[in-house]
Amino acid sequence: MDEDPIAATRRWLQRAVIGLNLCPFAKAVQAKDQIRYVLSEATTPDELLEELAAELAWLNDTDPAVVDTTLLIHPRVLTDFYDYNDFLDQADAAVDALGLEGEIQVASFHPDYRFAGTAFDDAGNCTNRSPYPMLHLLREASVERAVAAFPDPDAIVDRNIDTLDGLGFEGYRKLLEP
């Protein structure tokens, strides 16, 4: 790793997620310092699954006013997007096994994220591209409150694609440079 993954993730959050308003809900939790950044030491999917289970339990047991969401950054495992994508079923199973379905959900971000049927350099893929592979743990109640307060949540996806198409794949890549 050439740089600190947490620093790169903070920069991505500030410049892309908040700066481009890709997630209109992120600014509030960032401003309140309610985001937990966890750098995984996992080198195998099984180790990551153990860390994920621990983070799910930790987030569930923590007051949302203190930490509302967790970014579990794992730069040493699941660097191949297709392996990462396959792992997401195990992540969802961990949520279920802990009895947290309906309480916490896992959102997926990866440097090579690719929606089915798109070219690698399709700018729309950047909506889910992060500097390092990560699992974003979100409280369902927080998501529901944020969506209810947003005038047209269905428009977010289309607006994001328009924003990223305007910026272009190379523009997005340059936005994340140190």
Side-chain angles (χ1 to χ4, degrees):
M1 290 177 289
D2 294 340
E3 74 174 311
D4 173 30
I6 291 179
T9 300
R10 287 179 185 272
R11 184 174 55 252
W12 163 75
L13 183 73
Q14 191 61 44
R15 292 182 186 175
V17 177
I18 294 172
L20 297 175
N21 200 29
L22 298 178
C23 177
F25 320 122
K27 187 175 184 179
V29 292
Q30 192 261 356
K32 295 177 191 172
D33 197 27
Q34 294 173 315
I35 302 171
R36 176 174 160 96
Y37 298 85
V38 177
L39 181 59
S40 170
E41 296 296 325
T43 58
T44 68
D46 287 341
E47 290 173 350
L48 180 60
L49 195 57
E50 287 179 27
E51 288 185 6
L52 173 61
E55 280 304 313
L56 287 165
W58 186 92
L59 186 62
N60 188 58
D61 292 342
T62 301
D63 183 347
V66 176
V67 174
D68 195 52
T69 191
T70 297
L71 298 176
L72 178 57
I73 308 155
H74 49 93
R76 294 174 187 87
V77 64
L78 300 176
T79 56
D80 177 86
F81 174 68
Y82 296 104
D83 292 340
Y84 170 86
N85 199 47
D86 290 343
F87 179 83
L88 295 176
D89 288 335
Q90 292 178 53
D92 290 338
V95 170
D96 292 345
L98 292 168
L100 297 175
E101 186 175 353
E103 298 296 322
I104 298 176
Q105 62 179 264
V106 178
S108 54
F109 294 92
H110 192 280
D112 297 327
Y113 201 96
R114 186 171 176 182
F115 290 103
T118 63
F120 177 82
D121 61 353
D122 184 317
N125 292 321
C126 295
T127 61
N128 287 64
R129 287 207 175 151
S130 55
Y132 293 93
M134 76 174 71
L135 300 167
H136 182 188
L137 314 184
L138 297 135
R139 295 175 191 273
E140 297 252 355
S142 297
V143 172
E144 290 168 7
R145 276 192 308 277
V147 168
F150 198 77
D152 186 9
D154 294 332
I156 295 170
V157 172
D158 292 334
R159 187 196 65 222
N160 287 351
I161 291 172
D162 290 345
T163 297
L164 291 164
D165 282 343
L167 186 62
F169 180 75
E170 283 303 311
Y172 181 80
R173 191 183 59 72
K174 288 180 182 180
L175 181 73
L176 301 184
E177 290 177 353

